[in-house]
Amino acid sequence: MGNADLSTIARLRAVQTRSISPENFDGSAGGGGRATEGTGAACARDLGAGWKISPSVDIAAGETFDLASIQGPGKITHIWITTHKDNWRTLLLRAYWDGSAEPAIEVPYGDFFCSGWGEFAQVNSQVIAANPHGGFNSYWPMPFADGARLTLENLSTVSVRVYYQITYEIGGDYAGLGYLHTQWRRSNPLEYLKTHVLVEGVEGAGHYVGTYLAWGVNSNGWWGEGEIKFYLDSDEDYPTICGTGTEDYFGGAWNFDVPGRGYTEYSTPYLGLPQVIRPDGLYVSQQRFGMYRWHLPDPIHFASRLRVDIQALGWRSGWRYLPLRDDIASTALFYLDRPTARRPRTPTADDMEVHLGTAPVPDLGAQPPRMPD
């Protein structure tokens, strides 16, 4: 799955590279830097055309903006995008393949880039990099046979400014490649004695390639005893793949707790716990965590069906497991042999919301300012 494979990087290929940004909305050859109006026009008034006239776009409240519309076959190879952190859970990112009316990707903007809590944490992985201060990068290969459309919907009450660049290739052979899909779900809180579902209802052949969890803890003690389970093909009551604990699945051990240091952040090419948000004794009252696991050298293959869930378990007295009622938001990624699949209902702004900043009221100090109605 690695798209930065050094063993093949020197191989010459008869493809063309294109890029879509606010300086070249359609990615046309020779079409960049021609803007005469845009968000930078006033700043470039002494310089003229070609001098950063249109570096970004403003998306009005309630508006859906087309980031990219690409015709024919191709493959998206890189996305760079940034906006203020207060927008990370108010923007909804979608991707449509081959002219489909339904999106294959529908996920809060921040969660797609391992940043579901609206606070920055460095992510250093092969397919997602989050860099200071909110420079988000995706290297997930996104092939398509007959067109691609990427959009951002602004579910907030204010206009937001977004900078972006989407790089893709055309002219290659993309036959036999799967379409990238996501499923995003939030349990807030998780129902008692229920598992948190990451994926369900998926039919077709493909392989599961990634998990990001934004996990908010609602009780004292360790919270990660739960197992992740992959139900493949004809599995019903029992899964083919069963994990041994939450921190184990994300490549850690023993509660992520380094003696003397407590929870310890890490970020590696395939797995990480890049974010630990600690209570501040005032309005930031809960422990919150961000974790990712990319199945790049070890994709989980299925031939006809896929379901994935995870338990939330802590401890009660007598060394007994305690089913937890935590706030869990998951982003699951998989490649499928078709451009559309069953997906959860579209989340609302309230479904996605996390408390902005550290003030008693989320709107206080938010950027852009969010005034009372």
Side-chain angles (χ1 to χ4, degrees):
M1 288 299 301
N3 58 336
D5 186 350
L6 290 180
S7 68
T8 62
I9 195 66
R11 180 167 57 88
L12 300 180
R13 301 172 59 225
V15 300
Q16 300 85 50
T17 300
R18 298 289 184 263
S19 180
I20 291 175
S21 75
E23 288 281 12
N24 188 353
F25 283 116
D26 62 6
S28 58
R34 293 174 177 262
T36 58
E37 57 183 36
T39 58
C43 300
R45 61 188 179 274
D46 298 330
L47 302 175
W51 290 92
K52 201 171 181 176
I53 300 291
S54 180
S56 57
V57 296
D58 292 327
I59 306 176
E63 179 183 332
T64 296
F65 178 79
D66 277 16
L67 294 171
S69 183
I70 305 168
Q71 305 303 312
K75 181 174 68 173
I76 295 170
T77 55
H78 177 237
I79 299 171
W80 169 85
I81 193 167
T82 190
T83 186
H84 192 278
K85 66 186 183 68
D86 289 351
N87 308 324
W88 295 357
R89 266 286 180 92
T90 65
L91 292 170
L92 195 57
L93 175 67
R94 295 186 177 96
Y96 304 78
W97 310 128
D98 293 2
S100 298
E102 296 295 320
I105 294 172
E106 184 176 67
V107 60
Y109 166 93
D111 294 65
F112 187 80
F113 296 98
C114 298
S115 301
W117 290 118
E119 294 293 339
F120 175 74
Q122 180 76 47
V123 177
N124 301 307
S125 81
Q126 183 169 350
V127 286
I128 295 293
N131 301 323
H133 181 50
F136 289 165
N137 297 266
S138 166
Y139 288 94
W140 285 109
M142 301 181 188
F144 46 91
D146 188 24
R149 178 174 171 242
L150 273 64
T151 69
L152 272 183
E153 182 179 3
N154 179 8
L155 298 180
S156 77
T157 60
V158 296
S159 178
V160 301
R161 181 159 291 188
V162 179
Y163 300 76
Y164 69 95
Q165 188 155 13
I166 298 170
T167 303
Y168 62 101
E169 67 172 52
I170 56 176
D173 180 5
Y174 310 107
L177 300 180
Y179 298 89
L180 184 64
H181 290 251
T182 66
Q183 287 196 4
W184 184 85
R185 286 181 167 82
R186 187 180 191 184
S187 301
N188 184 27
L190 182 64
E191 292 184 53
Y192 185 64
L193 289 178
K194 297 290 187 180
T195 60
H196 174 78
V197 174
L198 283 77
V199 174
E200 68 177 356
V202 170
E203 296 183 351
H207 45 275
Y208 186 94
V209 292
T211 307
Y212 167 72
L213 293 184
W215 192 305
V217 177
N218 291 328
S219 61
N220 290 337
W222 170 236
W223 47 271
E225 286 299 322
E227 299 172 335
I228 192 168
K229 295 181 170 67
F230 293 84
Y231 299 81
L232 309 177
D233 303 328
S234 61
D235 292 346
E236 294 292 345
D237 296 332
Y238 298 99
T240 294
I241 298 174
C242 183
T244 60
T246 304
E247 82 274 44
D248 308 342
Y249 173 68
F250 291 98
W254 301 110
N255 308 4
F256 303 122
D257 180 359
V258 175
R261 294 173 55 188
Y263 291 117
T264 301
E265 298 90 336
Y266 64 98
S267 186
T268 75
Y270 304 136
L271 35 77
L273 175 79
Q275 187 162 52
V276 178
I277 300 176
R278 296 169 173 84
D280 68 354
L282 190 59
Y283 299 119
V284 181
S285 60
Q286 309 297 100
Q287 291 188 108
R288 291 174 292 170
F289 302 86
M291 302 163 279
Y292 66 88
R293 168 75 151 89
W294 308 141
H295 295 269
L296 299 181
D298 59 338
I300 296 174
H301 298 272
F302 54 95
S304 59
R305 291 193 306 169
L306 175 67
R307 184 179 190 276
V308 186
D309 66 11
I310 191 168
Q311 302 163 337
L313 288 177
W315 291 102
R316 63 167 86 243
S317 63
W319 289 103
R320 294 173 295 154
Y321 293 132
L322 171 66
L324 299 176
R325 304 199 62 195
D326 287 346
D327 176 0
I328 305 170
S330 60
T331 301
L333 300 101
F334 53 96
Y335 286 94
L336 196 63
D337 63 356
R338 58 203 68 183
T340 60
R342 285 187 58 188
R343 57 188 176 87
R345 68 171 178 82
T346 298
T348 66
D350 287 349
D351 292 333
M352 300 183 344
E353 183 178 9
V354 295
H355 196 99
L356 296 175
T358 59
V361 179
D363 304 297
L364 291 175
Q367 294 296 324
R370 289 159 167 80
M371 296 295 104
D373 292 334

